[in-house]
Amino acid sequence: MNIYSLDQIVAIAKYTSPIYKDFYQSVEPGDALTSLPILSNERLMAIVHAKKPDFVFAEGNTHGLIFESSASTGKPKVTLWGQGEWATSVGLLSVYHWKNGLLKNGDRVGNLCATPYLSYRLVHSVVEHFPGSASEVPIGCEMAFSYLNALVE
């Protein structure tokens, strides 16, 4: 597992995501986590909905799970995951995390993703398919940083 510093995470977001390039424009190396601007879900969705999304549907898929991306890469998309391919993907991720020690028996996973989006469902499904015993705490990310921090602590 790679562990990145806050400066590295901000730099990756700032220089690879068109949305965060503008949003983190005034952020400098060494700024504290608590001083980072928070991209609200409402603001992100306003940016995303200003562009026409790509539709990514596999050949032959007629049913499954439909997700709209948050477009942090700069191009929004709507994706249809077939139910079988979703179960296979999250099952493999879950086993991969278990075998590599990223998810262990007794772990508690705080799901900080916005609830209606793929990120939230992905974390939820990986914990759900974990072959051991782990708990998920569905927190979401729509609240102020101080509230989220207090809740996590």
Side-chain angles (χ1 to χ4, degrees), residues 22-113:
D22 291 336
F23 199 67
Y24 282 171
Q25 187 174 7
S26 64
V27 175
E28 297 294 331
D31 283 356
L33 178 63
T34 55
S35 69
L36 290 180
I38 297 174
L39 181 58
S40 71
N41 193 53
E42 290 80 14
R43 184 167 175 194
L44 176 61
M45 289 299 104
I47 294 166
V48 169
H49 291 145
K51 299 179 181 184
K52 183 179 178 196
D54 287 338
F55 288 85
V56 185
F57 293 170
E59 187 80 25
N61 266 358
T62 58
H63 63 280
L65 303 166
I66 298 174
F67 293 106
E68 179 181 5
S69 77
S70 63
S72 57
T73 60
K75 183 64 176 149
K77 60 191 155 300
V78 175
T79 306
L80 171 66
W81 287 77
Q83 291 170 334
E85 71 182 329
W86 180 259
T88 299
S89 298
V90 296
L92 288 170
L93 274 172
S94 185
V95 169
Y96 174 81
H97 287 346
W98 170 59
K99 288 193 176 224
N100 288 290
L102 300 174
L103 193 54
K104 302 177 203 80
N105 277 327
D107 277 355
R108 291 170 291 182
V109 178
N111 194 343
L112 288 166
C113 305

Side-chain angles (χ1 to χ4, degrees), residues 89-150:
S89 298
V90 296
L92 288 170
L93 274 172
S94 185
V95 169
Y96 174 81
H97 287 346
W98 170 59
K99 288 193 176 224
N100 288 290
L102 300 174
L103 193 54
K104 302 177 203 80
N105 277 327
D107 277 355
R108 291 170 291 182
V109 178
N111 194 343
L112 288 166
C113 305
T115 54
Y117 301 107
L118 176 62
S119 302
Y120 179 87
R121 181 66 187 256
L122 181 64
V123 170
H124 173 76
S125 295
V126 166
V127 173
E128 184 177 51
H129 285 82
F130 179 59
S133 87
S135 299
E136 174 191 13
V137 182
I139 299 170
C141 63
E142 296 91 349
M143 305 303 242
F145 176 80
S146 57
Y147 175 82
L148 294 174
N149 189 56

